[in-house]
Amino acid sequence: LKLLRVPSSQVEEKNMTMALVPLFGDHLIRGTTPVPTASLDADVIGIYFSAHWCPPCQIFTPQLAQVYMVAKTMEKSFEIVFVSSDRDASSFQHYFATMPWLAIPFDKPTRQVLKSRYGISGIPSLVLINGRDGSLINKEGRQQALQPNFVQGLPMGGGLDASVRGVDLEAALEALDSSGVGDEEKRIGLETIATVIRNVVNHPGEAKYRTLKKSNKSVQQKLGRPEFAQLLKVAGFREQQDSYTIPEANTRDTSHIKAVLDTLSCLIETLPQQQQEQEQLRQADDAPQPNADAAA
């Protein structure tokens, strides 16, 4: 694959991703859920032209899905956007339900614009583009994607979750302060995040420390506020449908997450003691003092 230029700042990276909006429109869909195009976070994007009625597509789609899932498992910076040539919305929905990636909504004229832009005359067809600026990488991606070294050659994922690009740790902490969260809840949340980050720093190669399941009751109770989720993402975690996961690429150089950990640790020390500790101190102060004469 053609080497991709790395953005020199988070602001530049956000501007480059915004370049995809004129190409795909304001939003895509995953399943039935709208996904803002500006949130796309992939160095390489495959634009997949296909249809349910097409026999060669029926063969290629599961092959491409396997490639896609391997790329995701290897944490490669890769995404696919489906452009349907189905004859009606029902056929599109039935076909798209078999796919794990994104799609242009069936009712959007963007589908025809993309076919014309890339000169698509037959399907299935896979066009590979630079996910940062929309420039063309390869119009013959269908053949390339099935090559044994395709996934290996994709760039590794990394960087911050798209929703917090341009948001630094100070801004995330200010958002937490202005949310009205109490000191005790803040302490519990920050201590939990610090523990999660510390585990990643101490065990960078172990996958079990890189994922927090949203279904976990402890995660729900301690990190239920969106401000805590934002802090996790500023630290390098990415929000998935059912979890928060930090890509392995974000753990190779731990300087960023260590800096976040140091800041949170210092902040935790400045917070008032928890109510239980305060109550214990109060009870100790109220307790009758021993009689010095009796003790003697």
Side-chain angles (χ1 to χ4, degrees):
L1 291 175
K2 181 173 68 177
L3 292 178
L4 303 170
R5 184 172 70 86
V6 178
S8 59
S9 69
Q10 289 182 358
V11 173
E12 182 184 0
E13 184 176 358
K14 183 175 182 179
N15 289 338
M16 291 173 74
T17 305
M18 287 296 292
L20 299 176
V21 173
L23 187 65
F24 294 135
D26 291 336
H27 74 277
L28 304 165
I29 54 174
R30 189 184 298 276
T32 59
T33 304
V35 177
T37 301
S39 70
L40 269 178
D41 185 25
D43 288 325
V44 178
I45 295 175
I47 307 176
Y48 181 40
F49 300 87
S50 183
H52 184 265
W53 51 261
C54 164
C57 299
Q58 295 284 349
I59 296 173
F60 180 67
T61 296
Q63 295 174 330
L64 183 60
Q66 184 176 6
V67 170
Y68 178 84
M69 296 310 295
V70 170
K72 291 299 183 182
T73 300
M74 294 178 65
E75 297 183 345
K76 295 292 185 173
S77 187
F78 181 56
E79 190 53 77
I80 292 177
V81 176
F82 170 46
V83 181
S84 173
S85 291
D86 288 297
R87 297 183 176 118
D88 55 67
S90 178
S91 297
F92 161 75
Q93 292 167 359
H94 178 74
Y95 190 32
F96 183 44
T98 69
M99 302 176 181
W101 43 67
L102 298 160
I104 301 289
F106 186 77
D107 60 351
K108 297 297 182 182
T110 309
R111 296 187 300 119
Q112 297 303 325
V113 173
L114 288 170
K115 292 175 188 177
S116 176
R117 178 187 180 112
Y118 295 109
I120 304 301
S121 58
I123 55 174
S125 183
L126 181 69
V127 175
L128 299 175
I129 66 169
N130 183 316
R132 302 306 177 190
D133 61 13
S135 60
L136 180 66
I137 296 176
N138 187 357
K139 283 185 64 175
E140 304 299 328
R142 175 185 173 187
Q143 289 75 24
Q144 187 174 3
L146 296 184
Q147 295 300 311
N149 61 349
F150 173 73
V151 173
Q152 193 65 36
L154 290 169
M156 287 297 298
L160 297 182
D161 188 281
S163 66
V164 293
R165 287 183 189 148
V167 178
D168 59 17
L169 180 58
E170 182 179 359
L173 289 171
E174 288 178 355
L176 179 62
D177 287 338
S178 62
S179 69
V181 60
D183 287 334
E184 183 176 0
E185 184 181 357
K186 181 188 293 186
R187 174 187 286 275
I188 292 172
L190 293 180
E191 287 180 341
T192 302
I193 294 173
T195 299
V196 169
I197 295 175
R198 192 175 295 109
N199 285 336
V200 172
V201 171
N202 293 337
H203 310 278
E206 297 188 38
K208 67 180 181 179
Y209 292 111
R210 292 191 284 110
T211 298
L212 289 177
K213 292 291 186 182
K214 291 181 179 179
S215 59
N216 184 289
K217 289 185 178 180
S218 180
V219 171
Q220 293 173 357
Q221 292 171 354
K222 299 178 180 179
L223 302 178
R225 282 182 171 267
E227 292 81 11
F228 290 137
Q230 186 177 51
L231 281 170
L232 276 173
K233 289 186 278 189
V234 168
F237 281 76
R238 293 186 179 180
E239 185 169 8
Q240 311 293 333
Q241 184 174 359
D242 61 350
S243 66
Y244 297 101
T245 302
I246 186 167
E248 185 179 3
N250 286 358
T251 66
R252 293 196 183 114
D253 179 0
T254 58
S255 58
H256 172 70
I257 51 178
K258 282 182 178 178
V260 173
L261 177 60
D262 290 344
T263 300
L264 295 184
S265 298
C266 291
L267 179 58
I268 290 168
E269 291 180 1
T270 68
L271 291 174
Q273 292 179 315
Q274 293 186 28
Q275 292 179 1
Q276 182 178 1
E277 295 173 339
Q278 293 175 335
E279 180 65 19
Q280 291 174 346
L281 290 174
R282 187 188 65 77
Q283 291 177 356
D285 291 339
D286 292 343
Q289 297 298 317
N291 186 300
D293 294 336

